[in-house]
Amino acid sequence: MGRALYAHTILIMTLRPMKIGFLFNHDCIHQVSHTAPIICELVALGQDVTVITSTPAQEAHVRRTIAPCMDRVRFVRIDIGPVSRAINVVAQAVVPFRRIANLRENVDLFRQFDALVVPETTSALLKSHFNLDIRLIYFPHGAGDRSIGFRDVTRFFDLVLLPGTKTRDRMLDRQLIRPGHHAVVGYPKFDTVDMTRRPRLFDNDRPTVLYNPHFDPVLSSWWDMGMDVLEWFARQDDYNLIFAPHVMLFRRRLHTSVEHRRVRLRRMIPERLRNLSHVRIDTGSQNSVDMTYVLAADIYLGDASSQVYEWIARPRPCIFLNSHHARWQGNPSYAHWNMGQVIDSVSALPHALAVAWDRQHEFAPRQQAAFSETFHTVPGETAAHRAAREIVYFLSQDKSRTP
């Protein structure tokens, strides 16, 4: 152990326990695995941890993730009042109203903690609009390239924990983080996954393609190409298909992109496509968020989802659908498109699949380099442990409560 790390550890061991809340305030469970693994590590460091969830599904997922220390953690469920629920019926198509109302209506609960750990940026409203004096600790859910992950709202967080140097450098370049208020710790989700697992989901030996479109009304290939992709795979018998989009795509019918000022109505999947032996359709189960499909497939087909970075933990072919005619070369928001073939139409898909493995030698070095830049790793130490240590050390310092 290095001298600085030794002193760091000794300081942590002598501190009083702090009250730390982990807030999971979303409609789905996909954000849980990005911060929940840190909980048991904080408990092991003697901290007082409370888990705050806004849905039963989130709470259940947290409990599965922290089973070894669950009896030493408190759980609190938050919800919105009847007036907010009525407004949410209409407002949810345009803004994440329920999430915002949950923050506003539970400020007194949050005030009890020394810090809140969150995996998304809506929680910054606690400081920017709801006047809560608390230390907010942010760990992004995913390690993707979309511009929405590098917004000015990041400056409201007191401590930003990052998966690797790629995200850190881009945030530093935009002055979203500052020295002493960020740390590169790795990717706690990987701590929860057996990366050697190879799930077998089809009763044949065909190559399996994972189609993982995003939900954004502009960036996602689903809106203009998705149904044609499903129809093509349904007609052929050379490949298996796992259709596992971002879990938010099928959470609602109407999708609004505030960033891109676009509203679109999602189409329904015909029942005939749901009962094919070589096509598996999953619009949001546990398997969609625990890397089951990432580990089971042979070729990745996608667009803007950060899941591609989990995919390249084991380099394999990638194909990206440019449905919105993006000028992507040299654009950091599309950096992941350098890791595979980029095609502009579904008619180009058969050829791209046919040459995917032959061309993988071009892309494997790029995938390996991108993985190293995206995810910090230290042999023998988990990302969750590093994150917990950074949180306790940061909270122990005499720093201003406002960024």
Side-chain angles (χ1 to χ4, degrees):
M1 182 183 292
R3 186 176 300 173
L5 179 57
Y6 178 78
H8 192 171
T9 304
I10 292 298
L11 174 61
I12 289 172
M13 293 173 64
T14 60
L15 294 172
R16 70 168 179 86
M18 284 170 283
K19 297 183 68 174
I20 301 173
F22 275 71
L23 175 60
F24 300 99
N25 180 28
H26 204 278
D27 307 313
C28 297
I29 64 173
H30 63 293
Q31 297 181 354
V32 169
S33 294
H34 295 282
T35 57
I38 304 169
I39 294 170
C40 285
E41 298 292 345
L42 283 170
V43 170
L45 291 174
Q47 303 309 304
D48 182 346
V49 179
T50 298
V51 172
I52 308 154
T53 61
S54 60
T55 67
Q58 288 178 110
E59 180 176 332
H61 194 29
V62 175
R63 288 182 180 276
R64 284 191 296 268
T65 304
I66 68 167
C69 70
M70 189 171 59
D71 59 340
R72 290 179 286 168
V73 174
R74 282 186 295 277
F75 286 82
V76 175
R77 179 81 52 77
I78 59 174
D79 203 352
I80 58 179
V83 174
S84 293
R85 281 197 289 272
I87 297 172
N88 186 58
V89 172
V90 177
Q92 64 180 338
V94 182
V95 294
F97 180 83
R98 182 174 179 272
R99 279 177 254 166
I100 296 171
N102 259 329
L103 296 175
R104 179 176 57 82
E105 295 180 21
N106 290 281
V107 167
D108 287 342
L109 168 66
F110 304 140
R111 207 185 309 277
Q112 302 172 18
F113 299 100
D114 294 304
L116 279 180
V117 180
V118 301
E120 45 71 50
T121 56
T122 308
S123 302
L125 290 169
L126 291 170
K127 278 180 173 286
S128 65
H129 287 69
F130 304 144
N131 301 316
L132 182 64
D133 183 19
I134 192 173
R135 294 184 183 183
L136 287 181
I137 299 171
Y138 171 45
F139 200 121
H141 64 281
D145 302 317
R146 292 171 62 219
S147 59
I148 199 170
F150 300 89
R151 295 180 301 158
D152 292 346
V153 67
T154 307
R155 297 192 183 101
F156 281 99
F157 293 95
D158 299 277
L159 175 65
V160 180
L161 300 175
L162 300 166
T165 57
K166 177 194 75 174
T167 308
R168 179 201 65 191
D169 292 349
R170 192 169 167 189
M171 285 189 174
L172 282 172
D173 185 59
R174 294 206 55 196
Q175 299 181 338
L176 302 178
I177 54 177
R178 59 206 168 106
H181 292 259
H182 72 272
V184 173
V185 299
Y187 201 59
K189 183 175 179 178
F190 286 153
D191 299 343
T192 69
V193 178
D194 177 4
M195 303 297 285
T196 65
R197 195 162 59 99
R198 301 290 183 269
R200 184 176 174 85
L201 304 178
F202 298 94
D203 190 21
N204 63 60
D205 294 323
R206 299 171 187 166
T208 296
V209 178
L210 169 60
Y211 180 33
N212 173 229
H214 201 265
F215 63 86
D216 185 277
V218 172
L219 304 178
S220 172
S221 60
W222 169 254
W223 306 100
D224 296 319
M225 294 184 176
M227 200 62 73
D228 290 336
V229 169
L230 295 188
E231 294 283 6
W232 185 85
F233 276 101
R235 293 192 302 267
Q236 57 77 52
D237 58 7
D238 293 321
Y239 302 92
N240 300 314
L241 175 70
I242 301 170
F243 176 60
H246 190 291
V247 292
M248 286 301 294
L249 179 59
F250 280 77
R251 185 72 183 184
R252 59 175 67 105
R253 289 293 309 278
L254 191 66
H255 283 264
T256 302
S257 173
V258 177
E259 181 185 19
H260 297 110
R261 300 181 182 180
R262 186 75 183 273
V263 179
R264 301 188 78 166
L265 184 67
R266 176 183 50 76
R267 297 167 64 185
M268 302 295 287
I269 298 175
E271 198 62 32
R272 59 185 169 78
L273 296 178
R274 293 180 175 273
N275 298 299
L276 301 173
S277 62
H278 68 296
V279 176
R280 181 176 183 136
I281 293 176
D282 186 338
T283 57
S285 79
Q286 173 79 18
N287 288 340
S288 294
V289 299
D290 66 5
M291 293 185 62
T292 292
Y293 298 139
V294 167
L295 297 173
D298 303 293
I299 299 173
Y300 180 89
L301 178 63
D303 38 61
S305 176
S306 64
Q307 192 172 96
V308 69
Y309 281 100
E310 297 175 5
W311 174 269
I312 62 170
R314 177 160 54 95
R316 287 157 290 167
C318 297
I319 301 170
F320 302 101
L321 294 168
N322 185 3
S323 62
H324 56 292
H325 311 293
R327 296 181 179 179
W328 60 273
Q329 291 92 339
N331 186 335
S333 296
Y334 294 88
H336 54 291
W337 283 14
N338 291 291
M339 300 189 297
Q341 301 176 73
V342 180
I343 61 177
D344 298 322
S345 67
V346 178
S347 63
L349 181 58
H351 177 72
L353 289 169
V355 302
W357 279 105
D358 291 337
R359 295 195 60 185
Q360 177 59 9
H361 71 278
E362 301 174 38
F363 300 111
R366 300 183 195 178
Q367 293 175 3
Q368 292 163 350
F371 185 85
S372 296
E373 293 170 356
T374 303
F375 301 111
H376 176 66
T377 58
V378 175
E381 186 181 29
T382 66
H385 180 71
R386 290 190 295 277
R389 195 173 62 228
E390 291 290 349
I391 289 171
V392 176
Y393 182 73
F394 175 80
L395 294 178
S396 72
Q397 305 304 294
D398 184 20
K399 298 187 178 185
S400 171
R401 283 183 173 269
T402 56

